[in-house]
Amino acid sequence: MALGADARVPVDAVITELHGRVRERLRAQVLASGGSLEFEDPALFADVEALLHAAAGTPDSAKLILPELLGEPDTWRLTTSMRYQSHRSKGPASLLIFLKRQILMPMFRWLYEYSRDNFERQRRTNQVLFACVQELALETALLRRELRRQSRDPK
Amino acid sequence: MKLAFVVQRYGAGIAGGSEAHCRDLAERLSPRHDITVLTTCAKDYVTWENAFPAGPSTENGVRVLRFPVARQRRIKVFADLSDEVFDGGAPPDRQQEWFRENGPDTPGLLDHLRAHGRDYDLVLFWTYRYFQSYFGLPLVADRAVLIPTAEEDPAIDLDVLLEFFDKPAGYVFLTPEERELVSSRALHPLRHSVVAGIGLEPVPPGVTSRAPIDRLGIPADYLLYLGRVDRNKGCDALLENFQEYASTRTDVTLVLAGPAKMQIPGHPQIRALGYVPDDVRSALLAHARALVVPSWYESLSIVLLEAWNYGVPALVNGRCKVLAGQVTRANGGLYYMFPAEFDEAADYLLTRRAERDAMGRQGLAYIDREYRWPTVIARVESLLDEVYRRTSRAPRQSVSPAGAGVS
């Protein structure tokens, strides 16, 4: 249908339509590559996709529960910055740190930056996975609560 | 009012969003206020090398006072320090060191604020992330207005900013998303603030000639990226997305207009023009099927507003809240979150002419409503009046030099 010259196009509606098309294409690809047959139900697939979509959109700065439960960040968090340290006494330590910073680092900066970029991607992936687990745990907790309520109040 | 505008660089030849915003406001407010721009001698935002002579000058009717940069930026030290503090858990002194290394290290400007800060009714600071704002604003906090130009990048999460964002007497923001972001990073509710944006002049009436881009052999169906071609601007993802998309659409070209700071793949449907003169820039904007803005971090995106000013819709990275918010408020284009959505959205804008034109018109209407200079100036004036009225009633004093740092 042709639009009039003064017609308004609501962006939200168009994006919802496009998102639906992308979702259907993804569902077809998942099924074609041997994904769960449960995904033949488009509504179920949409529910799953919405849940994962929300988790994937979690910003890096978002506070999540699981990382807090893992304990001291030093024991599990990916550290992507370079720390110049030495266990030796002050004089030799200064020399070693100088050599590391001024001689070795410039030589290997390309390798350091390559590794750092990959660790950054892994850090981002971890954050998304933490968010996914949190969403799933929340859904499970809500379902359990609902089951308990129904078992107490049988119709 | 007697106003000081504090900004990292200043001048007609300076490219940079916050610098242009400062200059535009200084020139437009100077007929009604006594304005002095306090800035550095730097021209290059990477090195901060002194390029302008120190001391007073008058530029386009605005008094400018430049201070020499004491030390150029040590790029590698700054890069390592950025890694360290953005990694999280860095102590406050290292975070403050980040602002010092970021520069431009201009002690003379701080001395001026200590000695003469109280001579100004209000002192406006552009961009929270640079030396002159971070260390200068606390010296005149009781009369300071901050234009943070904040983005959702790692710097905004530095702990020392919680206290810093409590200090200004007023705020001028570029978008509602920026206000929300900064509010979420301050210890207490912000005092006075306004979302002002920037102003644009209407495009001259008549059809912008296509001749400058015809000469370059630019085809009819093209998506335009305008600005620095840089990974930090999301261009690596854009190039990947587009190449994937182009494998199914051989009639579409991606035109990149701006200096390249990364490798651009050789591809028959990608045209990298480098820096382009104004007539080519205008023609590219006016005749694009859509402008693409792939950046993750923006506090406004002036180029997005420019596209709408030409009635051209936009295709933006939806992971950037500011871009998605702007496009939704304007109804002026589409946003995507991942490659498959990029394909669908690009296809929609390229093939649905009526809808594309309608989105372009809606974008232009948004500019007319929100981003013309009289509207923007009125918002800024009203905020300045309010801050001045309220703060001039309260007892005013400068912070002692010892309080310059934020602990």
Side-chain angles (χ1 to χ4, degrees):
Chain A
M1 188 172 70
L3 277 179
D6 296 325
R8 284 191 64 75
V9 177
V11 163
D12 282 339
V14 175
I15 285 177
T16 304
E17 178 196 326
L18 298 183
H19 191 144
R21 262 191 251 162
V22 170
R23 191 170 56 232
E24 273 310 294
R25 206 163 66 205
L26 178 60
R27 189 173 73 90
Q29 288 166 351
V30 169
L31 283 170
S33 63
S36 169
L37 291 179
E38 302 286 350
F39 287 147
E40 284 182 353
D41 176 355
L44 179 72
F45 186 86
D47 285 348
V48 171
E49 193 255 9
L51 200 143
L52 295 177
H53 201 282
T58 306
D60 277 0
S61 56
K63 195 79 174 166
L64 297 171
I65 301 169
L66 193 51
E68 295 298 313
L69 302 181
L70 285 175
E72 272 301 301
D74 282 352
T75 62
W76 61 269
R77 197 177 59 191
L78 285 167
T79 303
T80 53
S81 65
M82 181 65 81
R83 305 277 160 91
Y84 297 97
Q85 292 169 334
S86 170
H87 63 281
R88 294 173 196 277
S89 57
K90 201 176 172 193
S94 303
L95 179 65
L96 280 174
I97 289 172
F98 174 82
L99 289 173
K100 284 181 189 174
R101 192 192 287 273
Q102 302 297 338
I103 311 286
L104 293 176
M105 186 58 174
M107 282 170 68
F108 292 108
R109 178 167 285 278
W110 63 274
L111 183 59
Y112 163 66
E113 286 178 354
Y114 173 79
S115 311
R116 185 196 56 193
D117 289 352
N118 276 298
F119 280 130
E120 273 298 319
R121 291 186 192 118
Q122 184 61 56
R123 199 179 57 76
R124 166 87 188 124
T125 305
N126 290 353
Q127 175 81 353
V128 169
L129 290 176
F130 287 150
C132 284
V133 171
Q134 183 165 307
E135 286 283 329
L136 292 172
L138 174 66
E139 291 285 321
T140 307
L142 289 172
L143 285 172
R144 279 187 181 161
R145 183 184 285 184
E146 181 60 19
L147 278 174
R148 276 200 298 272
R149 192 188 64 76
Q150 286 186 5
S151 63
R152 277 199 304 270
D153 304 321
K155 299 260 174 181
Chain B
M1 273 186 275
K2 185 170 179 177
L3 304 174
F5 283 20
V6 183
V7 68
Q8 61 274 15
R9 300 180 298 162
Y10 190 87
I14 302 278
S18 57
E19 292 90 338
H21 189 248
C22 173
R23 194 160 60 86
D24 281 334
L25 278 187
E27 289 176 2
R28 285 177 165 82
L29 289 171
S30 63
R32 287 186 296 280
H33 299 283
D34 176 5
I35 293 177
T36 304
V37 174
L38 307 176
T39 188
T40 73
C41 298
K43 196 172 186 180
D44 185 319
Y45 75 97
V46 177
T47 64
W48 303 124
E49 183 184 356
N50 289 312
F52 294 104
S57 60
T58 301
E59 298 176 22
N60 258 358
V62 178
R63 189 184 316 116
V64 181
L65 195 50
R66 286 196 173 84
F67 298 88
V69 177
R71 187 186 69 189
Q72 288 190 31
R73 180 150 47 183
R74 300 180 294 177
I75 307 295
K76 291 194 169 111
V77 171
F78 178 64
D80 288 345
L81 185 55
S82 297
D83 285 342
E84 181 187 331
V85 300
F86 296 159
D87 217 15
D93 62 318
R94 296 297 287 162
Q95 296 184 36
Q96 286 177 26
E97 191 58 24
W98 183 84
F99 286 94
R100 199 173 294 282
E101 284 294 342
N102 198 12
D105 188 347
T106 322
L109 199 157
L110 299 192
D111 290 342
H112 178 87
L113 287 174
R114 280 187 200 102
H116 304 289
R118 267 181 277 186
D119 299 345
Y120 302 104
D121 294 315
L122 295 175
V123 185
L124 283 72
F125 290 86
W126 268 262
T127 309
Y128 79 91
R129 63 177 58 238
Y130 291 124
F131 175 97
Q132 83 284 347
S133 294
Y134 185 77
F135 294 108
L137 188 146
L139 300 171
V140 287
D142 64 341
R143 65 200 65 214
V145 173
L146 179 62
I147 298 95
T149 65
E151 307 162 359
E152 268 188 305
D153 63 358
I156 196 75
D157 290 323
L158 293 178
D159 299 331
V160 291
L161 290 173
L162 288 172
E163 199 175 328
F164 176 78
F165 284 145
D166 263 356
K167 291 182 184 296
Y171 274 95
V172 175
F173 292 109
L174 300 179
T175 62
E177 288 80 15
E178 189 200 7
R179 172 148 68 182
E180 197 178 312
L181 176 66
V182 173
S183 301
S184 74
R185 299 295 300 143
L187 282 174
H188 303 103
L190 303 182
R191 295 183 184 96
H192 315 294
S193 71
V194 69
V195 178
I198 65 152
L200 275 81
E201 300 291 352
V203 172
V207 177
T208 306
S209 167
R210 205 181 185 289
I213 58 174
D214 280 339
R215 283 196 288 275
L216 296 170
I218 302 295
D221 278 334
Y222 68 92
L223 299 172
L224 174 65
Y225 172 82
L226 195 52
R228 208 170 65 237
V229 183
D230 192 329
R231 284 180 62 190
N232 290 335
K233 293 284 180 187
C235 291
D236 48 348
L238 169 64
L239 289 166
E240 276 183 36
N241 286 344
F242 181 78
Q243 286 177 92
E244 182 69 28
Y245 176 64
S247 64
T248 59
R249 284 289 305 262
T250 53
D251 55 339
V252 179
T253 297
L254 174 66
V255 176
L256 307 165
K261 303 288 180 188
M262 59 177 284
Q263 183 91 28
I264 298 171
H267 189 288
Q269 289 167 256
I270 298 176
R271 291 285 310 271
L273 303 179
Y275 175 81
V276 294
D278 283 349
D279 61 334
V280 174
R281 191 178 189 278
S282 300
L284 283 170
L285 272 169
H287 297 284
R289 293 293 183 246
L291 176 84
V292 190
V293 189
S295 178
W296 284 62
Y297 308 122
E298 290 288 346
S299 60
L300 178 65
S301 182
I302 295 170
V303 74
L304 173 62
L305 306 184
E306 287 183 295
W308 286 334
N309 205 22
Y310 280 93
V312 170
L315 175 56
V316 305
N317 183 351
R319 294 191 191 273
C320 174
K321 279 187 192 163
V322 167
L323 294 175
Q326 288 281 73
V327 158
T328 306
R329 274 190 295 279
N331 268 314
L334 299 172
Y335 58 83
Y336 61 93
M337 307 287 265
F338 47 90
E341 288 185 354
F342 176 90
D343 292 358
E344 283 291 341
D347 233 24
Y348 186 96
L349 289 170
L350 286 160
T351 56
R352 309 272 283 262
R353 181 178 178 171
E355 285 83 352
R356 178 177 75 219
D357 290 348
M359 286 181 180
R361 279 197 307 274
Q362 288 164 188
L364 177 57
Y366 181 63
I367 296 296
D368 285 338
R369 206 164 61 235
E370 300 286 338
Y371 291 104
R372 295 297 177 209
W373 274 116
T375 310
V376 173
I377 291 291
R379 287 177 187 144
V380 174
E381 287 272 25
S382 138
L383 185 275
L384 297 182
D385 280 348
E386 189 183 350
V387 174
Y388 178 65
R389 212 173 47 247
R390 291 187 184 248
T391 59
S392 59
R393 268 194 247 127
R396 308 178 102 198
Q397 49 184 227
S398 282
V399 177
S400 69
V406 177
S407 56

